Amino acid sequence: MTTKTMLLTGGSRGIGHAIAIEAAKRGWFVSLGLRDASALPTGLTPETAEAVPYDAAAGGERDWVKGVLERRGRIDAVVACAGILEHDRIVTEDEDTVQRLFEVNVHAPRRLAAAAWDALAETGDGRIIVMASLSGKRVKSKRSGLYSFSKFAAVGLAHALRHEGWDLGIRATAICPGLVRTDMGESAANGGFPPEAMSQVGDVATLTLNTLELPGTLCQAEIAFNCQPDGIH
């Protein structure tokens, strides 16, 4: 098949859903890994997308990749949007919370990239997006400390994948938003910032697809943006 194929996590809502819609509009076929794969998310059709059972906390990446290659014959991009937010203290003794946070935000994207690695290399211009956060660039408050801990690791993952894949034509980018108008973004704002003034999911999706479609000679290791002037400091 000649249609470019994307593996996408976190596509049932928020940023991931907007990316799936934008990708379909641009002619990509999107394989969405979803905990509930009984139906495609709103706005997607079987001609442009599929839903595959997948839980970022439970593994199963190799089976997902194997099935896509059998059905589609290629994988051109991995976009890891699945993520969870915890407001626990960095000195928490709740190890289950810490492990769950890292499993979803860091380990699952690494496993998915590894499972799809050979297929991405075969295209000669494979792409990986790790949807990180400005919380992976700075720790803004003690309330966000544990979450930031995981997102710093997610940014590091993108850098490591970029180096690992460079000679194979694979390019990896960490996208680091500030507050985005999603359930997670509103939870992070904790009522302190108006949703209409946050970055909008459609704009983040446009940025993500534009990044995926850049030539390999114009690779950005990180893209950080914000809806307020605090930057990454």
Side-chain angles (χ1 to χ4, degrees):
M1 292 187 179
T2 58
T3 302
K4 285 191 171 184
T5 298
M6 172 192 299
L7 304 188
L8 173 69
T9 66
S12 62
R13 60 180 182 170
I15 294 172
H17 181 239
I19 290 172
I21 297 294
E22 181 66 20
K25 287 179 180 177
R26 297 195 189 197
W28 287 71
F29 184 87
V30 186
S31 180
L32 297 103
L34 303 173
R35 281 181 294 177
D36 180 4
S38 59
L40 283 171
T42 304
L44 297 168
T45 68
E47 290 72 34
T48 59
E50 66 176 7
V52 176
Y54 173 72
D55 185 339
E61 293 83 8
R62 291 201 174 277
D63 288 341
W64 181 10
V65 166
K66 180 181 177 182
V68 170
L69 290 175
E70 289 173 352
R71 293 185 296 275
R72 306 294 304 177
R74 61 188 294 168
I75 295 172
D76 300 87
V78 168
V79 181
C81 283
I84 57 176
L85 172 65
E86 297 284 355
H87 292 306
D88 209 341
R89 304 166 65 213
I90 190 63
V91 292
T92 181
E93 294 183 6
D94 184 353
E95 287 301 314
D96 289 342
T97 293
V98 177
Q99 293 302 321
R100 182 172 65 252
L101 192 67
F102 272 79
E103 193 65 34
V104 175
N105 292 357
V106 184
H107 298 313
R110 189 204 65 80
R111 289 194 304 263
L112 185 57
W117 197 255
D118 289 345
L120 292 170
E122 188 173 337
T123 71
D125 60 353
R127 297 290 182 265
I128 300 170
I129 297 289
V130 177
M131 193 60 63
S133 171
L134 275 184
S135 291
K137 300 294 295 173
R138 48 85 167 112
V139 181
K140 192 171 183 180
S141 68
K142 66 179 182 181
R143 183 172 181 266
S144 65
L146 186 61
Y147 177 69
S148 291
F149 183 29
S150 72
K151 287 300 185 177
F152 266 78
V155 172
L157 170 64
H159 279 274
L161 292 170
R162 180 170 172 266
H163 280 282
E164 184 76 22
W166 192 266
D167 292 340
L168 301 172
I170 299 172
R171 301 292 182 262
T173 300
I175 294 184
C176 303
L179 292 174
V180 180
R181 191 174 186 177
T182 63
D183 292 343
M184 184 183 291
E186 293 186 31
S187 174
N190 198 29
F193 198 83
E196 63 274 12
M198 296 178 181
S199 300
Q200 303 299 301
V201 292
D203 296 329
V204 181
T206 297
L207 173 66
T208 301
L209 265 295
N210 287 348
T211 302
L212 285 172
E213 294 174 349
L214 287 172
T217 52
L218 200 59
C219 177
Q220 292 176 270
E222 297 177 9
I223 302 173
F225 59 89
N226 206 350
C227 57
Q228 49 189 327
D230 71 336
I232 62 172
H233 304 293

